[in-house]
């Protein structure tokens, strides 16, 4: 298979090099002196005068044609002079053919209103759900490439929490989740870092601290006019899209004034609270005789994203690593509120050349405020540990762009100047751990069976649960600030041509320059309170040292006890509890009692963050230098150019061929440790700055063929090359070595890889679609991707010496004399493969008789498979008899292995079903999303692979229109109140065991929507 694929690629390159110059030469002979004119106009719905996006317009008997844009507008140039027939078609509507005559040099404006089709020819009003589906169907059909669409009407109909949830309704899309809502899109088994996400073609900057992924939960779908998911990219699109490309669409202001206001309140099952709300408003209008368009939108949402979770730990060394037993139970409750807000302003101006210039500024922000309560029950140690982490996180995304579409000197010119910025940071992140010793001193879980494999809930029965004896054990304060700013300038030039009535096309060329500045800064301070770290003094900003002042605080009593007995240097857990502490039942079976008081926890840190001894030589909070291992300051520059030719052979065949070239040049500044970091209980060492560079030039050929043999069948073929740049921390000149005191002195080495290559993929796509007024749109797709230089992170592999480091062609050496855990990125030496199938069917029954005409149905399913090569390690055990009478004893040796696995974050099967019904003023939709289990990460020894369990979710959306302007709306998310699970897979011994169960609960909202 691999040999055949390589030969086919070589043949494709040779054919491509022959065909492209021939096609380009033809363009120079297209300015033939025939008489020609132009057509333009707007296609609308006859019933409500709404513009129809994706309507097809063809000049009968020629290869000339186009489709309408988001505003229903179209334009056809180089129309042969004389009598012509123009065909207007839109799936779900009756086709209309108009005869007219056009003179040489004449421009005819022809506005057409299409009528919805019905079974008896009566006038039909397409309902909101059907309109959204029809719009999506026609947009997909009109494209020359493989695309899926969520229309604006459909966005408004679905009960989705954010843009990621809306994209998750499309075929080929699975989702990763955070806080009970989707935040990342996984397309065809490839995680979000292999996606290109744009707004109106302007790339959005990444929000992940280390990777190239974008947290789409920060973006409200209410601000969008549509979502386009490109499964296959053309040369005029950014190439860093191995998985595909998502374009979030806004449109120019329509002619008629629009005002939509929505206000909803909500209920959350986990917290039994009505504290949720969702407010949004959108306004648009045109002024000065349609010259200026103005749009403004805003949203303010508060969602409760609390969750309950249990985590189960195992001893997997039972019977010489062949079996397991439960040895640990964690109870976890996260009390979270998520505030999302956004604001956008769009101004557009119609220019004298029939073009448009659009100035857009959009801001989205998500603030997470969450307190994690955790209680750990170990089977073999004499303690229960309480851990509390109080965090605030903010993600801001700003996109500013000036976009133009103009017609000058016979060329269509599209240009963009943009500036985008994202910032993800934690304004506050404090963690404190409390230690509850055994009352009897004989082991906290004394008497508990040692071979327990199920029923972890009995752990709590063997615990003393005497929180009165618990005291603070240690504490952390962390900061992290990650920012990404990108400037882009881009221009595209398009020239249409006609060789004859049967052959026409367009030649398109352009260039792009982007420059990205990205920083990541992480710090961590640590206080080992269990070792008497509390200090009675504090250091002021001017360097002076004074007594701490606890008067009037929650901890005044603690301080008075300390003054009477200075050996009493740490507070009890009771000092952090409210007078009547709250408790929480977790997953219906586990009681977390009591819960900590958040205000007291925050005050403790504020009172002690600058603690020190009287001489100022021993701080209460020590700086941990290992936290800076992934700090960086990066500048990335990408220069790209392309040439693309689109040829239409009649109205049945369209070929798009071209190539794109991208040159990347990056500069990296980061920290490293010149020597091994060590020390107990806090690592001590020094760090320095270092720098490195990387550059690479990549050529990306591209061919698409669209065949439409009948008026109900479309076949799309694509073969193209795309790329994926490594995560931001992978190419750093990093070197950090230390011994981790919290894991028994484990030796650790973290390396960067400045030689890491960009991944390149050959993509092959086949899509077949059947469409019509009754069948809607039914599509079947198959895809195959071969990815060379796929990058992976070797995370904590057990090794020794420098053999593994040298095999990766790195110039590092290990400072550890014994075995250690190595973390390093690398390019896979063998190609990785992703392949799969998708089906998608969208249909509405407006043509059916009686009540059946109100049904709207869509469903899709995807099967995805993959194969990639990973480096791993295997520990071999041999038994050696030492002739000492004690019998054979085990001896362990580590060897490097190579394994073949699926890619991470890739479910085998996933899909959606959505069933809607409209009657009178009522509209209801029930939808199901399902995805199978998938591997989140692989372990080097294949004994502890992490799996995300299968997930199914049912949502319900209900609306009732009271008047033409007023509507009551209601959404129920996670209707079945399901639990989510994670598992651990031991591939060597062939078992899977549950490691986590969590529940986010049902959420419900209810409100009104006003449309003017």
């Amino acid at each position: 298979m691999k040999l055949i694929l390589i030969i086919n690629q070589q043949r494709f390159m040779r054919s491509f090099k022959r065909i492209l110059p021939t096609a380009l030469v033809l363009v120079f002979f297209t300015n033939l002196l025939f008489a020609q004119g132009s057509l333009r106009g707007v296609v609308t719905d006859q019933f409500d005068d709404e513009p129809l996006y994706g309507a097809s317009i063809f000049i009968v008997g020629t290869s000339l044609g186009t489709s309408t844009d988001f505003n229903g507008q179209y334009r056809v140039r180089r129309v042969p002079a004389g009598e012509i027939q123009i065909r207007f078609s839109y799936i779900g509507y009756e086709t209309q053919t108009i005869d007219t005559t056009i003179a040489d040099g004449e421009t005819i404006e022809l506005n057409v209103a299409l009528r919805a089709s019905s079974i008896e020819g009566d006038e039909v009003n397409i309902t909101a759900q059907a309109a959204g589906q029809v719009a999506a169907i026609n947009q997909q059909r009109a494209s020359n490439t493989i695309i899926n669409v969520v229309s604006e009407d459909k966005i408004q109909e679905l009960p989705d929490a954010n843009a990621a949830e809306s994209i998750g309704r499309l075929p080929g899309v699975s989702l990763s989740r955070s806080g009970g809502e989707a935040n990342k899109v996984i397309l065809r088994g490839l995680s979000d870092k292999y996606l290109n996400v744009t707004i109106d073609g302007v790339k959005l900057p990444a929000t992940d601290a280390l990777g190239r992924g974008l947290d789409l939960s920060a973006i409200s779908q209410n601000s969008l006019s549509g979502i386009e998911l490109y499964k296959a990219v053309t040369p005029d699109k950014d190439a860093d899209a191995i998985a595909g490309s998502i374009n979030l669409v806004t449109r120019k202001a329509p002619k008629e004034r629009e005002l939509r206001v929505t206000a909803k309140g909500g209920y959350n099952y986990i917290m039994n609270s009505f504290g949720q709300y969702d407010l949004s408003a959108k306004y648009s209008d045109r002024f000065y005789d349609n010259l200026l368009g103005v749009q403004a939108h805003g949203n303010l949402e508060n969602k409760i994203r609390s969750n309950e979770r249990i985590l189960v730990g195992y001893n997997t060394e039972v019977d010489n690593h062949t079996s397991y037993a439960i040895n640990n139970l964690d109870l976890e409750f996260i009390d979270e509120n998520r505030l999302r807000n956004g604001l956008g302003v769009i101004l557009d101006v119609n220019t004298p050349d029939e073009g448009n210039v659009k100035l857009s500024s959009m801001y989205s922000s998500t603030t997470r405020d969450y307190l994690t309560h955790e209680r750990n029950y170990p089977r073999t140690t004499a303690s229960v540990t309480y851990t509390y982490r109080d965090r605030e996180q903010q993600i801001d995304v700003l996109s500013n762009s000036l976009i133009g579409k103009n017609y000058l000197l016979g060329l269509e010119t599209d240009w963009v100047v943009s500036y985008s910025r994202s910032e993800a940071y934690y304004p506050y992140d404090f963690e404190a751990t409390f230690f509850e010793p055994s009352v009897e001193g004989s082991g906290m879980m004394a008497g508990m069976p040692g071979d327990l494999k199920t029923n972890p809930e009995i752990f709590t029965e063997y615990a003393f649960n005497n929180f009165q004896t618990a005291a603070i054990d240690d504490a952390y304060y962390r900061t992290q600030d990650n920012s990404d700013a990108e400037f882009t300038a881009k221009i595209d030039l398009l020239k249409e041509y006609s060789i004859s009535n049967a052959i026409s096309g367009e030649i398109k060329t352009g260039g792009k320059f982007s420059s990205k500045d990205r920083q990541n800064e992480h710090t961590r301070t640590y206080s080992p309170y269990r070792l008497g770290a509390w200090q009675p003094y504090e250091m002021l900003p001017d360097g002076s040292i004074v007594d701490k002042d606890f008067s009037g605080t929650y901890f005044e009593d603690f301080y008075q006890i300390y003054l009477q007995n200075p050996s009493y240097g740490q507070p009890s857990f009771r000092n952090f509890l409210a007078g009547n502490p709250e408790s929480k039942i977790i997953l219906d079976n586990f009681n977390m009692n009591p819960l900590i008081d958040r205000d007291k926890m925050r005050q403790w840190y504020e009172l002690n963050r600058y603690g020190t001894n009287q001489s100022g030589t021993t701080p209460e909070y020590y700086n941990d230098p290992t936290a800076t291992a992934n700090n960086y300051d990066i500048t990335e520059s990408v220069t790209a150019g392309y040439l693309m030719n689109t040829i239409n052979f009649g109205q049945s065949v369209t070929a798009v061929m071209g190539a794109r070239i991208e040159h990347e040049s990056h500069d990296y500044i980061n920290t490293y440790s010149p020597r091994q970091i060590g020390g107990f209980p806090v690592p001590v060492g020094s760090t320095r700055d270092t720098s490195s560079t990387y550059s690479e030039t990549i050529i990306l050929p591209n061919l698409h063929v669209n065949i439409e043999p009948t008026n109900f069948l479309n076949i799309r073929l694509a073969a193209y090359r795309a790329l994926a740049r490594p995560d931001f921390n992978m190419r750093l000149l990093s070197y950090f070595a230390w011994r981790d005191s919290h894991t028994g002195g484990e030796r650790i080495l973290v390396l960067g890889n400045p030689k890491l290559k960009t991944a390149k993929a050959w993509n092959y796509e086949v899509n077949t679609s059947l469409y019509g007024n009754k069948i809607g749109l039914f599509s079947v797709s198959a895809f195959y991707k071969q990815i060379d230089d796929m990058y992976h992170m070797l995370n904590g592999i057990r090794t020794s010496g420098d053999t593994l480091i040298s095999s990766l062609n790195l110039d590092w050496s290990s400072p550890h004399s014994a075995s250690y855990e190595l973390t390093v990125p690398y390019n896979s030496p063998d190609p990785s493969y992703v392949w799969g199938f998708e089906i998608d069917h969208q249909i509405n029954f407006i043509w059916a008789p009686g009540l059946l005409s109100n049904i709207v149905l869509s469903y899709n399913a995807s099967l995805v498979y993959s194969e990639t090569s990973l480096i791993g390690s295997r520990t071999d055990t041999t038994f050696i008899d030492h002739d000492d009478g004690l019998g054979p004893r085990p001896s362990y040796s580590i060897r490097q292995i190579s394994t073949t696995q699926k890619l991470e974050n890739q479910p085998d099967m996933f899909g959606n079903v959505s069933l809607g019904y409209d009657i009178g003023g009522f509209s209801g939709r029930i939808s199901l999303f399902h995805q199978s289990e998938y591997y989140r990460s692989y372990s080097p020894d294949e004994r502890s692979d992490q799996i995300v369990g299968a997930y199914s979710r049912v949502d319900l959306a209900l609306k009732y229109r009271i008047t033409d302007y007023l509507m009551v709306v209601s959404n129920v998310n996670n209707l079945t109140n399901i639990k989510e699970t994670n598992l651990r897979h031991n591939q060597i011994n062939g078992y899977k065991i549950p490691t986590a169960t969590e529940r986010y609960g049902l959420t419900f909202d209810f409100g009104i929507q006003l449309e003017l």
Side-chain angles (χ1 to χ4, degrees), residues 89-140:
S89 63
Y90 195 72
I91 296 174
Y93 286 68
E94 296 176 0
T95 298
Q96 188 173 150
T97 302
I98 297 177
D99 296 326
T100 189
T101 301
I102 190 168
D104 185 19
E106 182 184 13
T107 297
I108 294 179
E109 183 167 344
L110 191 58
N111 300 323
V112 175
L114 297 181
R115 176 180 175 177
S117 61
S118 66
I119 194 168
E120 297 176 350
D122 296 330
E123 188 171 22
V124 174
N125 175 23
I126 293 188
T127 61
Q129 290 194 63
Q133 188 139 290
V134 166
I137 289 171
N138 283 281
Q139 290 168 46
Q140 290 173 215

Side-chain angles (χ1 to χ4, degrees), residues 282-573:
K282 188 173 183 178
Y283 165 81
S284 63
D285 204 351
R286 300 204 71 85
F287 301 92
Y288 306 115
D289 195 25
N290 201 36
L291 177 67
L292 173 66
V294 177
Q295 297 181 78
H297 63 81
N299 64 281
L300 180 62
E301 307 169 23
N302 184 66
K303 303 292 186 182
I304 298 172
R305 294 300 181 208
S306 302
N307 78 320
E308 307 163 346
R309 179 163 62 167
I310 65 166
L311 299 99
V312 183
Y314 298 86
N315 173 17
T316 57
E317 298 179 0
V318 177
D319 296 336
N320 192 28
H321 296 272
T322 63
S323 187
Y324 62 91
I326 298 175
N327 66 359
N328 195 69
L329 172 67
D330 262 352
L331 307 183
E332 189 175 284
F333 164 57
I334 300 179
D335 184 359
E336 177 178 352
N337 272 62
R338 191 171 296 190
L339 183 67
R340 181 185 295 114
N341 59 80
L343 182 66
V345 177
I346 302 174
L347 305 177
D348 71 86
V349 178
N350 291 328
T351 56
D353 61 346
E354 300 181 7
N356 186 265
V357 175
K358 183 166 70 173
L359 175 63
S360 176
S361 181
M362 299 183 68
Y363 169 78
S364 297
S365 176
T366 295
T367 300
R368 299 179 64 186
D369 186 349
Y370 50 122
L371 174 61
T372 301
H373 307 256
E374 184 179 353
R375 188 163 298 187
N376 175 257
Y377 296 91
R379 191 185 69 82
T380 57
T381 60
S383 67
V384 167
T385 302
Y386 314 147
T387 301
Y388 302 91
R389 190 169 181 183
D390 185 2
R391 282 185 285 181
E392 296 174 6
Q393 181 190 21
Q394 184 158 335
I395 300 173
D396 298 327
V397 180
L398 174 68
S399 177
N400 295 304
S401 61
L402 184 63
I403 303 173
K405 187 181 189 71
N406 300 106
Y407 304 92
L408 303 171
L409 303 176
L411 296 174
E412 179 181 311
T413 305
D414 295 281
W415 53 272
V416 176
V417 178
S418 67
Y419 173 80
S420 299
R421 179 178 174 84
S422 70
E423 186 167 13
Y425 60 98
Y426 288 86
Y428 190 88
D429 187 351
F430 178 59
E431 178 181 349
T433 300
F434 298 83
F435 176 86
E436 178 194 319
S438 170
V439 174
E440 298 180 0
S442 58
M444 183 59 69
M445 300 296 174
M448 197 176 99
D451 59 350
L452 188 69
K453 287 181 167 57
T454 59
N455 302 321
E457 57 270 13
I458 71 172
F459 266 64
T460 58
E461 299 174 9
Y462 290 88
F464 291 107
N465 291 313
N466 184 14
F467 66 85
Q468 301 286 343
T469 66
I472 193 168
D473 196 50
D474 52 31
Y476 296 88
Y477 189 83
R478 302 173 176 89
T479 68
Q480 182 165 323
D481 192 347
N482 173 256
S483 64
D484 189 321
E486 185 165 345
F487 169 81
T488 299
K490 174 185 173 184
I491 188 168
D492 299 314
L493 301 174
L494 184 148
K495 173 69 175 178
E496 296 175 332
Y497 62 88
S498 298
I499 297 176
S500 67
N501 282 346
I503 301 176
S504 65
E506 59 186 37
I507 186 90
K508 190 175 182 181
T509 186
K512 178 180 178 180
F513 172 78
S514 63
S515 178
K516 177 191 294 289
D517 291 318
R518 186 176 178 89
Q519 294 85 35
N520 183 57
E521 185 174 352
H522 185 212
T523 68
R524 180 170 59 238
T525 57
Y526 170 61
S527 181
Y529 282 114
R530 68 184 185 277
L531 301 178
W534 186 80
Q535 302 291 346
Y537 305 96
E538 67 174 335
M539 181 177 291
L540 299 180
D542 62 3
S544 59
I545 297 174
V546 299
D547 291 334
K548 288 179 178 176
D549 183 8
F550 284 79
S551 58
T553 71
Y554 294 123
F555 299 95
E556 186 172 5
D557 291 343
F558 155 75
Y559 189 66
Q560 293 302 321
I561 295 174
Y562 164 78
L563 292 177
Q564 298 172 18
N565 180 13
S567 64
Y568 183 78
Q570 55 189 22
S572 164
F573 180 56

Side-chain angles (χ1 to χ4, degrees), residues 883-896:
D883 298 326
D884 54 7
L886 299 178
R889 295 192 293 276
S891 175
Y892 304 100
S893 61
I894 303 168
R895 60 186 173 90
Q896 180 182 328

